[in-house]
Amino acid sequence: MNIKNRIDSGLRNDEQILFLVAEQAGKPQGIPAGKMITDSDNLSFVYLLEVEAGYEHLHLTQAVWPLMVDVLTTNLDPVLSWKDEIIPLPGFKDELTMLIFNIEGNDNYGEAFSSAVEQAFSSILQHME
């Protein structure tokens, strides 16, 4: 996974949760697809951006999972931030919620990934049971 596609940091303010793209990575291409998948081999959630040839993958690494929990427990909007540009991430909450509940107890994603997700999102999983 190259640096262009990795989201390793973020921050939360009063209005938004920002997932930060490293400036040296370059501007993400495409438009938000409102879809999320997983990359269990690299222990990351992947938000999709539509590009002409398909999708660009933005890998949300374990470093930002605590902020992803915040997305699910607040009314703050998740956005992608690159330099001074803000890119809304529609569908993020719904897609993430669906994925974590699908991953819970499902070793088809790999035991390491399933366990990491269950641990990181335990407050969400317990609250919704």
Side-chain angles (χ1 to χ4, degrees):
M1 177 175 21
N2 66 41
I3 191 169
K4 179 178 182 186
N5 296 330
R6 286 177 62 103
I7 309 298
D8 291 321
S9 63
L11 59 94
R12 175 181 169 175
N13 62 31
D14 292 335
E15 299 170 8
Q16 299 170 320
I17 295 174
L18 296 98
F19 295 103
L20 307 175
V21 177
E23 287 189 25
Q24 68 271 26
K27 180 181 176 185
Q29 300 299 306
I31 59 171
K35 297 177 183 171
M36 191 179 289
I37 59 174
T38 62
D39 178 352
S40 55
D41 292 338
N42 289 303
L43 299 179
S44 63
F45 288 89
V46 180
Y47 189 87
L48 301 176
L49 298 175
E50 291 182 29
V51 293
E52 192 171 316
Y55 294 102
E56 180 171 326
H57 297 174
L58 298 173
H59 291 256
L60 297 135
T61 66
Q62 283 184 283
V64 297
W65 288 8
L67 285 172
M68 293 170 71
V69 170
D70 286 350
V71 167
L72 298 177
T73 59
T74 67
N75 286 326
L76 300 177
D77 293 323
V79 298
L80 194 63
S81 176
W82 181 77
K83 293 189 176 183
D84 292 332
E85 190 167 338
I86 299 294
I87 302 165
L89 299 174
F92 192 98
K93 278 186 181 186
D94 291 339
E95 290 285 305
L96 179 58
T97 300
M98 182 266 310
L99 282 170
I100 64 170
F101 281 98
N102 192 43
I103 292 166
E104 182 185 27
N106 185 345
D107 286 340
N108 289 336
Y109 289 89
E111 187 177 338
F113 185 66
S114 294
S115 294
V117 168
E118 289 169 4
Q119 182 177 359
F121 294 91
S122 64
S123 63
I124 303 299
L125 293 166
Q126 291 170 3
H127 178 72
M128 299 299 255
E129 288 180 352

